[in-house]
Amino acid sequence: MEGIEHKMISANGLNIHIAEKGQGPLVLFIHGFPKLWYSWRHQIHFMASHGYRAVAPDLRGYGDTTGAPLDDPSKFDVIHVVGDLVSLLDVIAPNEQVFMVAHDWGAYIAWYLNLIRPDKVKAFVSLSIHFSPRNPNIKMVDGVKALYGEDHYMVRFQEPGDMEAEIANNIGTKTFLKKFLSHRDPAPWYFPKGKGFNGDSTDSPLPSWLSEDDLNYYSSKYEKTGFTGPLNYYRAFDLTWELTAPWTSAQVKVPTKFIVGELDLVYNIPGAKEFIHNGGFKKYVPLLQEVVVMEGTAHFINEEKPDEINNHIYQFLKQF
């Protein structure tokens, strides 16, 4: 895209691809699943035009970032990925506290980066994923399975090679991405084995915020890399649970703003709204300044409502 520079940065044993534009205080944008740096295109241009240096990497296993062992899910736990981002910042912004904006899996990783290295972050905007304290009594996958059963996407993603074969043989890369990105139902996502997405084999139109060119960009990257890297994040969930035991009950002490769509499936998980609005969230994130719930908006919030999200990010960050 016009004016965006692309660089390869050697950090933490990887060659990390970053997209960058602008000069000024650094804003690090961290994408989720199944996205890439490209999901931040609107925010990169906006923040660069407002006096910031916007940087969006492809996370390990994604896009043009290379060097991660795809055949080893244990290398995709949150500690490894936080290490990637801290190492990246040591190269591109040494001795600088940065702003951070993250969505979906990126937000999950960012919460732990804030827990482990709060010295690196000046302020944080989390999209879609609120902070959830570690439950010492049950592993993540076991909890999801107990709540939603074997067909829930997080459970289906666990077996190495299984979902990759499902996408290759029954769904197709472009169709998988189209259905995933078009999904607006706040109910849970399911992938019944051999039945495609939520058991639905019909085609659906692209959402207004996702053009054919956008879909083609995502598809072209996944056609080259496959989905194993991104799926490995889910496969490392239980390892992450084990490794993050030292931060059980810890608080995130970084100034934070949280933005979520009212139709976001995470916001509609049983108990989430109560935790977010009734004091639980604030207890664990004492510097939480604002919670914004955007009406009529679903999960992929920074692409669906880029102008509103850009303004929310800017108004929050400019006070620091």
Side-chain angles (χ1 to χ4, degrees), residues 102-146:
H103 174 256
D104 187 76
W105 252 107
Y108 181 82
I109 295 160
W111 284 118
Y112 273 100
L113 194 157
N114 285 320
L115 270 178
I116 297 167
R117 293 297 304 272
D119 60 300
K120 288 287 186 181
V121 185
K122 190 178 299 183
F124 174 44
V125 179
S126 179
L127 306 182
S128 298
I129 306 298
H130 59 279
F131 179 73
S132 295
R134 179 184 180 273
N135 184 342
N137 299 314
I138 187 168
K139 294 181 179 181
M140 183 70 159
V141 177
D142 289 341
V144 171
K145 193 180 298 184

Side-chain angles (χ1 to χ4, degrees), residues 156 163 166 170-171 179 190-201:
R156 283 296 318 283
M163 199 64 209
E166 183 87 4
N170 297 331
I171 304 174
K179 287 184 175 293
Y190 292 101
F191 284 99
K193 194 171 183 67
K195 297 182 180 179
F197 181 83
N198 272 18
D200 177 19
S201 61

Side-chain angles (χ1 to χ4, degrees), residues 51 72 79 81 89 102 114 124 165 209 213 230 242 255 277 292:
D72 186 357
I79 302 299
V81 186
L89 290 175
N114 285 320
F124 174 44
W209 54 265
D213 286 343
E242 295 175 11
H277 297 292
V292 178

